[in-house]
Amino acid sequence: MSTSTWRDLGTPKRKSEVFVDLIVDGVEVSVPEGTSVMRAASEAGLSIPKLCATESLEAFGSCRLCLVEIEGRRGYPASCTTLVEAGMVVRTQTSKLAKLRREVMELYISDHPLDCLTCSANGNCELQDMAGAVGLREVRYGFEGKNHLDAPKDESNPYFTFDASKCIVCSRCVRACEETQGTFALTIDSRGFVSSVSAGQKESFLESECVSCGACVAACPTATLMEKSVVEQGQPDRSVITTCAYCGVGCSFKAEVKGNDVVRMVPDFDGKANRGHSCVKGRFAFGYATHKDRITKPMIRENISDPWREVSWDEAISHAASEFKRIQEKYGKGSVGGITSSRCTNEETYLVQKLIRAAFGNNNVDTCARVCHSPTGYGLKTTLGESAGTQDFDSVMDMDVAIVIGANPTDGHPVFASRLKKRLRQGAKLVVVDPRKIDLVDGPHVKASHHLKLRPGTNVAIVNSIAHVIYTEGLHDKQFIQERCEKADFDKWVGFISQEKNSPESLEEVTGVPAAEVRAAARLYAGCRNGAIYYGLGVTEHSQGSTMVMGIANLAMLTGNIGRPGVGVNPLRGQNNVQGACDMGSFPHELPGYRHLSDSVTRELFESEWNVSINPEPGFRIPNMLDAAHSNEFMGIYVQGEDIAQSDPNTQHVTSALEAMECVVVQDIFLNETAKFAHVFLPGASFLEKDGTFTNAERRISRVRKVMDPLSGKADWEVTVMLSNALGYPMNYTHPSQVMDEIARLTPTFTGVSYKKLDEGSIQWPCNEVSPDGTPVMHTVDFTRGLGKFMVTEYVPTNERSSRKFPLILTTGRILSQYNVGAQTRRTENVVWFDEDRLEIHPSDAEMRGISTDDWVGIRSRAGETVLRARVTERVQPGVVYTTFHFPESGANVITTDNSDWATNCPEYKVTAVEVEPVTQPAEWQKKFREFSEEQLNHLAKAAEAERV
Ligand code: SF4
Ligand code: SF4
Ligand code: SF4
Ligand code: FES
């Protein structure tokens, strides 16, 4: 079990080639220039008392507890704000310093409730520790004078409390909110004795700009800002380092546990993806893991109109296996398949695709990346040679210009967004390409230099016009292109891109973005030292998603922005393990490590390890599975941790396909929308209940460690093993580490990966003989494919266009507090911030239709109709409406169409032509949905009832 080795050294680490030698308490120390005396002492193993300083924040120098003596200097300087100088001789422990520190502490304690024994921070309080460290034995000042002991508590945040009576006004919280999170929600109000911490304009935390990231809580040295879970459950007694199971940032956390209960999740300072920060989801929204809706017993039923029946694991597994066998006998070998989960571990995903290829004997395996980042895999593999982002997150701190395209990091990838904002506050520049005014466009102390507010569906036109400017104005990196890229492809591309039809002026009409703005953005990116592109689903979920990814790779190669820190092509991948699910061979045409099935050498490698023959023909993608179900060719499916009935486009097509199947096996922690169409339900385990690994958007493989026993008695990988054995294909793993060893044996980019290695810290693949410690930055000398390949990216408008009947374009996105289909976050206090999907509409479009905020509006597309409440806002441009998709009843995917990316079938979620009008009742689909859901919940309740009887 790995535990964090982090020790607070007081002030941040400095990077410098120049080292400074000094003597602290007789010990010779050598530290980088710019280091504080406090940190130098800490690095020498000495500790100076401190309260307002902490390693994650710049020194502030307010508490005066860290005073030291420096030879040749008058007075007693604060060691946290004093920088080292060559030859300095520092004393940290003298009788004079001890007296001064005791006096400082005495003042603090004289205005502090002396309730240590009943305080929630007892045993884990820096104020308490410092009182001990300075040897405070008596407090000469009584509580009779003015004090803050009756200061009110703010309990408005659902996850933490603010008890002002315990505040020592050290300002760590204020600085954490500014420096670490970048929200600037807190201030120190007034001065002197009456100064106090204030959220917003003297608002409660909940009413303020606070996004509940918890950085202030982590920074607070007292019990003033404290997790409510700690107040209620007490201090934890053990901790386990694990990885967040929400988004693709992959934050590392210390799960702090008391008995078998997680008391709190504390971001790990040693975590290389998050560097000690987190967002509201990973930090606080873990209550779903023990929510009463968890299903912990296997269940089966004949028909979806029947009540569920709780059964033993053996019965459920043998029933599922015999059904799959029966279907294969009746309809053929290719009539069954499965979907792997981007929420589950690498090992679990690997086992599901292995089961399908080895036990089902076909390649009918796909994953939810089909509906999100499959174009990233295709586009980057084609141009650069590897289906993954090129950088680590640390790289953003070396970036000078960032282009953020079709991504909303402050909501979707919040911890990365905080680091991006930090770099922008240091002076880096930002270009946002998005139809909507995302927070980064104009946030606290961050403002985009250019917001290219394009029309949805015109990404490729924009990327082409940027490339056109760079090439025709001679701003490209000729040496890089000559040395690193295929000449013939580049020449062909030049012939295409330099055509006038690709100029910003020619495309202005199409994109809606003024040509001068495009030219200025292109010059900014091409003219900087390090330019980085970050993108999200606003790039991939289009009919030209793969084209756009290749256009982005073209831009990076054109400007030589690839192969070193601060640059690159960075897909912000959505789910915790979507990168891993792709790496593990979840696609119907690829074995693990993105090797095509038609490659006989790779196939033979797997065949000999697995002792089966592998079909060289690719299997069905998800949309093919659904189509084949409608024609009785695909009749059984094993879905692990994925909710296609909510997350895939054209909901009615998906649900009717599920209804047509004879055996739907769903493995999940809740009865999700897909499970309502299932015949076998296998209870899943949350990330807290199992061992394994996740791979984040930086290709970083991080350990997931078991914190509590699985509520159902089995981790997901164990269930897949049982099912495979029941199907007649033996799997004998007793621990996920054995699965990782097999992956490493069979996958060149994972050769050096093992649990032993991962216990030393997370690793970015490729990790092999060439890069034994992993690869933070890819394509440094050569591209994975050798030379980079420029691809012609002709702009082809989507078929989905606005018309008189459907004059608006609907686009979709996420919100910070909810996560994807919302199955987890809807079951937490996060609903306080967001409890329903809304339709954002521009005031001019709203006025034309007589719509006000909070009105119910019907949204009709060529595919279907749903009803949501409206929010009138200038965040969206005229002609564009926007919604999130976190609540099943919203039916966002009832209206999205069947259009998809030409190369990968990734659905075109981001462009749907719609009309919007005021309505007074739910859509027909919603009425049916409610009825069906109620019926299914009754079937579930009957299972539990029968069990009780
Ligand atoms: S709330 Fe905590 S961190 Fe903030 S000023 Fe008070 S004691 Fe310091
Ligand atoms: S929780 Fe985060 S956003 Fe809210 S006040 Fe604290 S640091 Fe700022
Ligand atoms: S940023 Fe993503 S990985 Fe990090 S805590 Fe938030 S949801 Fe989890
Ligand atoms: S720790 Fe240095 S002044 Fe507070």
Side-chain angles (χ1 to χ4, degrees):
M1 182 176 299
S2 176
T3 49
S4 181
T5 50
W6 185 66
R7 184 168 78 93
D8 187 350
L9 301 184
T11 63
K13 187 177 183 154
R14 295 293 178 225
K15 268 203 240 169
S16 173
E17 311 266 288
V18 183
F19 272 68
V20 174
D21 299 332
L22 68 159
I23 295 175
V24 187
D25 291 344
V27 180
E28 284 181 22
V29 195
S30 185
V31 288
E33 196 175 42
T35 302
S36 71
V37 168
M38 173 179 279
R39 186 168 179 115
S42 303
E43 287 191 6
L46 306 163
S47 68
I48 301 175
K50 62 181 180 59
L51 274 175
C52 69
T54 187
E55 185 171 345
S56 58
L57 302 170
E58 292 301 325
F60 189 59
S62 69
C63 75
R64 310 301 294 165
L65 202 64
C66 68
L67 310 181
V68 290
E69 292 175 10
I70 299 176
E71 269 185 28
R73 287 216 191 166
R74 289 176 49 201
Y76 304 93
S79 61
C80 63
T81 47
T82 306
L83 302 188
V84 292
E85 285 174 19
M88 233 180 201
V89 178
V90 182
R91 275 185 290 280
T92 72
Q93 309 293 342
T94 67
S95 54
K96 179 67 189 171
L97 289 172
K99 181 165 179 295
L100 287 171
R101 288 177 187 150
R102 272 198 296 275
E103 283 168 5
V104 171
M105 275 310 290
E106 210 176 343
L107 285 172
Y108 277 120
I109 299 300
S110 69
D111 190 9
H112 197 83
L114 294 180
D115 60 356
C116 282
L117 287 182
T118 52
C119 176
S120 55
N122 189 22
N124 190 7
C125 168
E126 290 184 44
L127 188 68
Q128 199 178 48
D129 293 347
M130 288 308 119
V134 303
L136 187 70
R137 295 287 171 267
E138 58 167 344
V139 177
R140 288 165 294 167
Y141 317 109
F143 289 137
E144 304 80 37
K146 281 209 282 182
N147 59 47
H148 297 88
L149 302 181
D150 293 329
K153 274 190 192 178
D154 176 352
E155 300 272 13
S156 62
N157 183 291
Y159 296 120
F160 60 83
T161 147
F162 174 73
D163 179 353
S165 71
K166 296 188 168 167
C167 181
I168 58 171
V169 203
C170 65
S171 190
R172 272 163 67 159
C173 53
V174 179
R175 288 177 284 140
C177 193
E178 293 174 7
E179 292 175 31
T180 310
Q181 165 56 24
T183 290
F184 294 78
L186 302 178
T187 47
I188 298 285
D189 202 42
S190 304
R191 298 177 76 96
F193 177 80
V194 288
S195 63
S196 62
V197 172
S198 165
Q201 305 297 315
K202 295 204 176 174
E203 295 154 304
S204 70
F205 271 79
L206 193 62
E207 291 159 335
S208 75
E209 295 292 302
C210 168
V211 293
S212 198
C213 70
C216 56
V217 182
C220 181
T222 66
T224 313
L225 282 160
M226 180 59 83
E227 295 89 350
K228 286 184 175 169
S229 54
V230 176
V231 175
E232 282 153 21
Q233 293 164 257
Q235 287 285 331
D237 47 37
R238 66 184 171 97
S239 73
V240 181
I241 302 282
T242 190
T243 305
C244 179
Y246 279 115
C247 86
V249 176
C251 294
S252 177
F253 277 94
K254 259 197 300 177
E256 297 194 342
V257 185
K258 186 170 188 157
N260 207 27
D261 297 326
V262 175
V263 176
R264 67 177 161 193
M265 298 289 282
V266 180
D268 180 16
F269 202 78
D270 289 335
K272 293 180 193 151
N274 55 322
R275 305 282 175 200
H277 191 33
S278 61
C279 83
V280 59
K281 295 188 283 284
R283 177 79 154 97
F284 296 118
F286 54 87
Y288 72 87
T290 47
H291 193 275
K292 63 174 178 41
D293 290 351
R294 280 285 302 269
I295 301 178
T296 56
K297 300 260 175 53
M299 303 185 298
I300 60 176
R301 59 181 175 178
E302 290 308 310
N303 296 299
I304 65 165
S305 53
D306 296 339
W308 284 102
R309 190 160 60 83
E310 285 183 4
V311 293
S312 67
W313 274 109
D314 284 342
E315 187 176 347
I317 294 289
S318 72
H319 177 73
S322 70
E323 276 296 278
F324 283 131
K325 283 192 212 160
R326 179 186 67 75
I327 290 169
Q328 283 191 302
E329 265 164 38
K330 185 169 167 195
Y331 298 98
K333 209 173 191 178
S335 60
V336 297
I339 299 179
T340 71
S341 174
S342 293
R343 322 304 322 279
C344 287
T345 63
N346 283 316
E347 294 74 1
E348 287 163 344
T349 308
Y350 175 87
L351 288 188
V352 172
Q353 64 86 35
K354 178 173 177 178
L355 175 144
I356 288 161
R357 297 190 206 281
F360 285 171
N362 63 45
N363 293 304
N364 293 335
V365 56
D366 209 349
T367 189
C368 72
R370 172 71 51 218
V371 298
C372 66
H373 267 284
S374 48
T376 289
Y378 180 88
L380 297 186
K381 178 102 179 170
T382 307
T383 47
L384 313 180
E386 193 56 272
S387 300
T390 62
Q391 310 296 121
D392 58 0
F393 287 136
D394 283 350
S395 170
V396 77
M397 299 314 287
D398 289 308
M399 164 282 292
D400 298 307
V401 172
I403 307 187
V404 174
I405 313 179
N408 184 6
T410 51
D411 286 62
H413 300 83
V415 164
F416 163 71
S418 291
R419 300 192 74 194
L420 172 63
K421 288 192 286 184
K422 188 171 196 164
R423 181 66 190 142
L424 295 172
R425 290 197 302 276
Q426 290 171 354
K429 299 280 182 275
L430 173 68
V431 175
V432 171
V433 184
D434 204 291
R436 189 166 163 267
K437 188 178 168 198
I438 59 171
D439 284 349
L440 281 177
V441 170
D442 190 6
H445 301 265
V446 165
K447 196 166 171 43
S449 303
H450 305 283
H451 177 199
L452 311 186
K453 213 193 274 181
L454 76 178
R455 293 204 178 96
T458 62
N459 280 336
V460 174
I462 276 283
V463 85
N464 283 349
S465 60
I466 295 174
H468 175 93
V469 173
I470 294 172
Y471 182 74
T472 56
E473 294 191 7
L475 305 174
H476 52 299
D477 187 336
K478 299 167 193 77
Q479 190 184 346
F480 182 91
I481 296 164
Q482 195 185 359
E483 290 172 2
R484 301 277 315 261
C485 302
E486 303 255 16
K487 184 167 180 333
D489 292 305
F490 177 67
D491 291 345
K492 190 170 163 203
W493 179 81
V494 166
F496 158 74
I497 206 71
S498 46
Q499 292 169 26
E500 184 50 31
K501 67 173 183 183
N502 288 318
S503 75
E505 290 72 18
S506 303
L507 289 167
E508 191 175 291
E509 191 66 7
V510 171
T511 63
V513 182
E517 194 79 21
V518 177
R519 285 199 179 268
R523 289 170 193 148
L524 183 69
Y525 171 69
C528 72
R529 188 178 54 110
N530 286 333
I533 303 175
Y534 294 89
Y535 72 88
L537 302 181
V539 158
T540 53
E541 290 177 344
H542 286 271
S543 60
Q544 280 205 288
S546 293
T547 316
M548 180 61 182
V549 173
M550 293 190 285
I552 287 172
N554 287 344
L555 264 194
M557 291 188 287
L558 184 67
T559 51
N561 275 314
I562 212 131
R564 60 181 187 278
V567 299
V569 176
N570 303 274
L572 294 171
R573 309 204 66 153
Q575 309 214 50
N576 55 325
N577 199 36
V578 67
Q579 179 70 55
C582 298
D583 300 344
M584 292 300 109
S586 294
F587 289 126
H589 64 291
E590 276 173 348
L591 286 161
Y594 303 100
R595 286 163 297 162
H596 203 279
L597 276 170
S598 59
D599 169 8
S600 59
V601 178
T602 305
R603 235 178 31 246
E604 278 161 22
L605 188 70
F606 281 85
E607 285 175 337
S608 96
E609 174 88 26
W610 293 355
N611 204 19
V612 288
S613 67
I614 297 173
N615 187 337
E617 287 305 313
F620 285 144
R621 295 172 173 183
I622 295 173
N624 308 133
M625 294 180 198
L626 300 174
D627 290 345
H630 282 112
S631 56
N632 284 5
E633 290 165 67
F634 187 85
M635 302 305 281
I637 192 166
Y638 170 32
V639 186
Q640 184 181 71
E642 168 70 356
D643 194 3
I644 53 172
Q646 193 184 343
S647 62
D648 284 37
N650 198 342
T651 307
Q652 294 168 93
H653 183 70
V654 179
T655 52
S656 57
L658 289 168
E659 275 178 289
M661 292 183 207
E662 292 183 3
C663 181
V664 174
V665 177
V666 168
Q667 185 175 3
D668 209 286
I669 59 176
F670 298 115
L671 191 83
N672 62 19
E673 298 312 310
T674 309
K676 290 174 184 165
F677 295 87
H679 306 94
V680 179
F681 186 89
L682 304 173
S686 79
F687 77 113
L688 295 168
E689 297 159 37
K690 57 198 180 187
D691 279 299
T693 55
F694 291 152
T695 306
N696 76 352
E698 326 156 271
R699 297 169 277 106
R700 181 179 302 287
I701 310 159
S702 301
R703 271 301 310 273
V704 175
R705 294 187 177 85
K706 190 163 114 173
V707 174
M708 55 168 73
D709 291 331
L711 299 191
S712 70
K714 296 203 185 299
D716 297 314
W717 63 270
E718 293 177 277
V719 177
T720 306
V721 165
M722 281 176 81
L723 182 58
S724 187
N725 286 327
L727 284 163
Y729 179 76
M731 286 191 189
N732 301 311
Y733 310 97
T734 53
H735 192 269
S737 61
Q738 297 157 352
V739 183
M740 180 52 83
D741 292 342
E742 181 174 318
I743 296 165
R745 276 199 299 279
L746 294 169
T747 315
T749 42
F750 276 66
T751 316
V753 182
S754 67
Y755 277 28
K756 189 160 172 272
K757 178 99 182 158
L758 290 168
D759 277 345
E760 293 161 21
S762 58
I763 307 169
Q764 286 173 271
W765 66 257
C767 172
N768 45 30
E769 315 72 50
V770 185
S771 311
D773 295 320
T775 312
V777 176
M778 290 189 82
H779 315 298
T780 48
V781 181
D782 292 315
F783 286 100
T784 308
R785 69 181 301 284
L787 294 171
K789 187 176 175 69
F790 275 83
M791 292 293 292
V792 170
T793 54
E794 190 82 54
Y795 167 61
V796 181
T798 166
N799 293 334
E800 185 65 10
R801 289 182 219 169
S802 52
S803 62
R804 195 177 306 170
K805 198 166 168 205
F806 302 108
L808 302 169
I809 294 291
L810 170 78
T811 190
T812 57
R814 291 194 208 165
I815 191 95
L816 170 69
S817 50
Q818 294 292 339
Y819 184 74
N820 279 10
V821 296
Q824 296 147 293
T825 43
R826 281 187 276 113
R827 292 181 169 95
T828 70
E829 299 285 348
N830 279 23
V831 288
V832 165
W833 290 282
F834 192 85
D835 62 357
E836 65 174 311
D837 295 315
R838 296 273 191 134
L839 185 82
E840 290 187 1
I841 182 165
H842 189 271
S844 61
D845 291 324
E847 196 187 346
M848 207 184 296
R849 292 167 175 78
I851 294 168
S852 308
T853 290
D854 289 342
D855 285 353
W856 290 103
V857 290
I859 309 144
R860 199 162 24 86
S861 74
R862 293 177 179 102
E865 184 172 4
T866 194
V867 170
L868 295 175
R869 281 200 295 159
R871 176 178 293 127
V872 179
T873 169
E874 289 188 356
R875 258 179 184 264
V876 286
Q877 51 180 297
V880 175
V881 288
Y882 167 91
T883 189
T884 48
F885 43 75
H886 303 303
F887 292 79
E889 203 177 319
S890 305
N893 285 329
V894 172
I895 40 183
T896 50
T897 66
D898 272 344
N899 288 352
S900 64
D901 173 44
W902 60 271
T904 65
N905 272 155
C906 181
E908 190 168 44
Y909 287 129
K910 301 294 179 186
V911 190
T912 309
V914 296
E915 176 56 301
V916 174
E917 60 196 354
V919 292
T920 51
Q921 53 173 324
E924 278 312 305
W925 177 84
Q926 282 164 313
K927 289 182 197 160
K928 281 196 204 132
F929 172 86
R930 264 180 220 168
E931 262 170 42
F932 180 69
S933 282
E934 224 162 87
E935 191 184 304
Q936 290 301 320
L937 291 176
N938 280 337
H939 291 334
L940 180 63
K942 282 192 188 132
E945 231 167 74
E947 180 65 7
R948 273 199 300 278
V949 175

